[in-house]
Amino acid sequence: PILNAALGEIGELLHGPEGFDAANAKRSFRISGSDFFADLMMPELIMKLRRDAPGVTVEMVDSVFANTLDAIERFKVDFVFWPILDFPPWIDHLPIFAEPFVVVAPKGHPDLQRAGIGDGDKIPIDLYCDLEHSHFLPEGMVVDDVARGLEPLGRSRRVVASMPTFGGVYTQVVKAGLIAVLPKRFAQAKRSEGLITLHPLTVPFPPTQLCILWHRQFSHSAGHIWFRDTMHDILMKL
């Protein structure tokens, strides 16, 4: 399978973009990213493939933050969703969007109700720090914009649970009565279930600029171009 995939890539590179016939292609792509992308992009992507490229399959693997660039370099994945950074020269990328964040709380949170804070209201910093929090923290990820924003104020929040997925954080909010910071698009999608309220960030920080990464070796591969453009088009409509 690896040899066949390599030969397919060589053929695409030699023939240019017109060398990829999506309707008749037989191949698979592996992508890595958080469940933000699994929840918001994958259903539409699967329907697109079923309609326009029935022989193309997609496998989404666990997002491995500590080893992401290594996975690309070793050709273990075709594409990775990642915040935009200073990448090594062998990495190429396509910007997606800058994702803002919001605070989410379970609907009817007693402390918020007592304080008269409704859906869409900002939570004051004293109350925010006193409440119990769930936190998104995949293995190998150490960046914490919330903690970094609170530190200059001499404040910290009460994190009682860290989860490796946004879906896990959401579940702790709904079932354990915690509050959390989640990507805005993800939170808005979950809001339709009627179980949470959304609130502006208590400690503002800039949106995270996201992008699609791949090995530069495949920047002109017709199959890769078609697949990453397909993902990009879906994401830009979110």
Side-chain angles (χ1 to χ4, degrees):
I2 295 175
L3 178 59
N4 289 338
L7 291 174
E9 292 286 0
I10 292 171
E12 291 171 14
L13 289 168
L14 291 174
H15 291 93
E18 68 276 7
F20 187 73
D21 178 6
N24 296 300
K26 303 290 183 183
R27 62 172 302 173
S28 179
F29 292 96
R30 301 185 85 215
I31 60 178
S32 174
S34 70
D35 59 334
F36 175 96
F37 297 98
D39 279 18
L40 300 185
M41 182 196 73
M42 285 294 286
E44 182 67 28
L45 177 60
I46 291 168
M47 289 189 288
K48 168 75 173 177
L49 296 179
R50 182 186 295 153
R51 182 176 63 249
D52 298 339
V56 175
T57 61
V58 58
E59 177 185 1
M60 190 161 194
V61 301
D62 286 341
S63 182
V64 282
F65 279 74
N67 303 303
T68 295
L69 297 187
D70 179 68
I72 299 174
E73 187 176 24
R74 294 174 179 269
F75 305 107
K76 293 181 178 179
V77 295
D78 294 290
F79 300 101
V80 172
F81 297 105
W82 197 254
I84 201 162
L85 301 168
D86 291 327
F87 299 118
W90 48 269
I91 289 284
D92 210 345
H93 71 279
L94 176 65
I96 310 171
F97 44 63
E99 178 64 15
F101 289 78
V102 295
V103 176
V104 299
K107 196 170 185 179
H109 191 295
D111 293 317
L112 297 184
Q113 285 190 324
R114 278 193 292 270
I117 298 170
D119 192 6
D121 295 336
K122 188 174 182 178
I123 303 173
I125 190 167
D126 288 340
L127 178 57
Y128 180 78
C129 291
D130 286 342
L131 297 176
E132 294 181 322
H133 294 246
S134 181
H135 178 47
F136 174 66
L137 189 68
E139 181 180 359
M141 179 178 170
V142 296
V143 176
D144 184 348
D145 288 318
V146 179
R148 190 161 49 223
L150 288 169
E151 187 175 356
L153 305 175
R155 309 300 297 268
S156 63
R157 70 203 194 280
R158 298 172 59 199
V159 176
V160 300
S162 295
M163 305 297 295
T165 64
F166 291 118
V169 172
Y170 170 77
T171 298
Q172 301 312 308
V173 168
V174 171
K175 295 190 175 182
L178 309 181
I179 70 169
V181 170
L182 287 174
K184 187 174 182 179
R185 286 174 175 82
F186 186 91
Q188 287 175 329
K190 292 296 186 182
R191 190 183 199 173
S192 64
E193 298 176 7
L195 302 175
I196 58 172
T197 57
L198 273 57
H199 308 269
L201 290 173
T202 299
V203 181
F205 55 85
T208 298
Q209 176 63 58
L210 298 170
C211 62
I212 306 172
L213 305 184
W214 65 91
H215 198 292
R216 190 175 293 275
Q217 175 177 324
F218 302 120
S219 289
H220 302 290
S221 161
H224 270 240
I225 292 171
W226 181 86
F227 197 82
R228 67 180 179 252
D229 285 350
T230 296
M231 293 190 295
H232 183 267
D233 290 346
I234 290 171
L235 288 166
M236 293 305 293
K237 294 174 184 176
L238 293 179

